Amino acid sequence: MTVRVMLIAPAMNAALREARFEGDAPLDEAGVRRARAAADRVPEADLWVSGTSERCLRTADALDVHPTPEPALADWDMGRWRGKRLSDVSDGEAEAVAAWLTDPTAAPHGGESLLDLSARVGSWLDGLEEGSGRVLAIVEPAVVRAAVVHGLGLAAAGFWRLDVAPLALTELSGREGRWNLKCGQVL
């Protein structure tokens, strides 16, 4: 029996609108409204988990689901860039941002590199046992992207080519070493 992993990106918030490195900002009212409106389209699951961010947890509340927070699915650790706008960091640290965007081993912010994030998320994905059934996870877009890159065996640079919309559902089905992708659909 294969495992079906359904990843839902959390609803919109001010940090996402401002292109800010998350900083664990809560949902805004528009995000709550959109998540509540999508609640009846959340698929059934055998196991419910989420990232640890306020945005993931509040999205789960608005969707009327009750997942267990999973540390392996936490958002990308941006170190000292956390809470800052990308444009501000780019203005002050252009070379560091360039390295971060082109070298998957770089972590100029002092947090996780892209390879570290992908390894953490990939380890969780591959650790799901055959027969786990349908797993639903509400996770930050970086976690969705890392899961897709790992699951499909893409080069790390593919991470930067994937867009994940708020409240989009992305599905991976299979098992360790053999995952298939059903591209995201907005709930």
Side-chain angles (χ1 to χ4, degrees):
M1 182 177 181
T2 62
V3 179
R4 183 173 174 191
V5 180
M6 300 167 288
L7 306 166
I8 296 177
M12 181 66 79
N13 68 358
L16 192 58
R17 275 190 196 86
E18 297 170 358
R20 214 175 342 122
F21 294 104
E22 188 50 34
D24 210 17
L27 294 183
D28 55 24
E29 282 304 312
V32 170
R33 277 193 311 276
R34 286 193 176 104
R36 284 184 181 149
D40 63 339
R41 293 186 296 280
V42 174
E44 289 298 317
D46 301 306
L47 175 65
W48 301 78
V49 294
S50 73
T52 58
S53 72
E54 182 77 13
R55 189 164 89 121
C56 288
L57 297 172
R58 297 296 70 86
T59 297
D61 286 344
L63 291 171
D64 197 27
V65 298
H66 309 286
T68 301
E70 171 55 59
L73 299 178
D75 198 8
W76 193 353
D77 180 358
M78 288 288 116
R80 63 186 171 77
W81 290 356
R82 184 178 172 150
K84 296 181 180 179
R85 290 183 181 171
L86 177 58
S87 60
D88 294 338
V89 174
S90 294
D91 289 345
E93 301 181 54
E95 287 180 23
V97 171
W100 175 68
L101 291 170
T102 58
D103 179 358
T105 65
H109 42 64
E112 286 179 297
S113 70
L114 176 55
L115 288 185
D116 291 338
L117 169 68
S118 295
R120 172 170 52 86
V121 173
S123 180
W124 174 82
L125 185 64
D126 289 342
L128 294 171
E129 296 178 15
E130 240 181 277
S132 294
R134 298 162 54 100
V135 179
L136 190 135
I138 299 170
V139 295
E140 295 292 342
V143 174
V144 175
R145 292 158 61 193
V148 169
V149 166
H150 176 82
L152 298 182
L154 302 176
F159 177 92
W160 299 111
R161 307 293 302 253
L162 301 172
D163 290 328
V164 179
L167 296 172
L169 173 67
T170 301
E171 295 182 35
L172 291 166
S173 61
R175 61 190 178 285
E176 181 179 0
R178 172 95 171 62
W179 293 98
N180 296 312
L181 172 67
K182 181 176 181 184
C183 294
Q185 58 183 329
V186 176
L187 294 180

